[in-house]
Amino acid sequence: YIAVEVTDNALGDTDSKIYNNDSVQFAFTTNRVVGASRTEYGFGLVNGKTEVERYAFIGVDSGIVGVSDKKKYEGVETAVTREGNKTYYEGKFPWTQIYGKKLSFSELNGLYFSLLINDNDGSGRRGWMEYCPGIGEAKDPTKFVEIPISKR
């Protein structure tokens, strides 16, 4: 699950490419090394309607930059709502739609992740804010942050 609350003075949602609108992009990789395959999603509003797009998928390809398969992804659910100057992004992304298989967390020490929030005030993407680098300027899994897995 992912949830993001963004304070933004103007909504930009008229471009057909989600990443050019106000939106959220995030990616996971299995290895923090150059050229590692990754899964990357973007979701946001396109002309007032919630859309989701997958730009790369570990389960099929090794991260072809800019390639989008706009089919529906089994189990993926997203919602984007706006109230005043706040936009709320919520998503459910099953691990099989991220890693191409079920994960055994007992076998993992951590996950590698990157997230950014795109900003468009009505005349095209102005830029983005990153939780960590790795998908904004270049697709570089070496810059993803490690999220440790706690084992009890």
Side-chain angles (χ1 to χ4, degrees):
Y1 295 92
I2 185 168
V4 179
E5 176 186 310
V6 177
T7 302
D8 189 356
N9 63 330
L11 176 66
D13 73 337
T14 58
D15 198 295
S16 63
K17 296 177 182 148
I18 293 169
Y19 60 84
N20 281 335
N21 293 326
D22 286 342
S23 60
V24 171
Q25 280 178 258
F26 68 92
F28 283 91
T29 187
T30 53
N31 297 299
R32 215 168 35 180
V33 297
V34 173
S37 60
R38 71 183 194 292
T39 294
E40 181 179 343
Y41 280 97
F43 70 107
L45 294 175
V46 176
N47 293 314
K49 182 180 174 197
T50 300
E51 296 282 343
V52 63
E53 203 165 35
R54 186 166 64 196
Y55 306 107
F57 182 45
I58 292 170
V60 174
D61 61 58
S62 61
I64 301 169
V65 176
V67 173
S68 168
D69 52 12
K70 284 192 162 190
K71 65 180 182 179
K72 294 297 177 192
Y73 314 108
E74 187 176 331
V76 170
E77 298 173 23
T78 56
V80 180
T81 56
R82 180 136 169 110
E83 296 175 20
N85 67 348
K86 301 237 187 238
T87 307
Y88 302 93
Y89 300 88
E90 298 175 284
K92 173 186 166 192
F93 295 84
W95 291 117
T96 55
Q97 292 296 333
I98 294 173
Y99 285 99
K101 62 182 180 180
K102 289 186 177 184
L103 290 183
S104 174
F105 287 99
S106 63
E107 297 173 8
L108 296 172
N109 292 320
L111 302 171
Y112 306 106
F113 176 75
S114 180
L115 177 131
L116 63 81
I117 299 164
N118 292 302
D119 185 35
N120 175 337
D121 282 350
S123 59
R125 181 167 74 166
R126 300 176 343 135
W128 61 85
M129 235 175 28
E130 296 176 308
Y131 170 66
C132 72
I135 57 176
E137 285 192 24
K139 307 306 181 185
D140 185 356
T142 66
K143 295 182 177 180
F144 286 24
V145 67
E146 182 175 4
I147 300 172
I149 295 175
S150 176
K151 298 177 184 175
R152 295 179 187 215

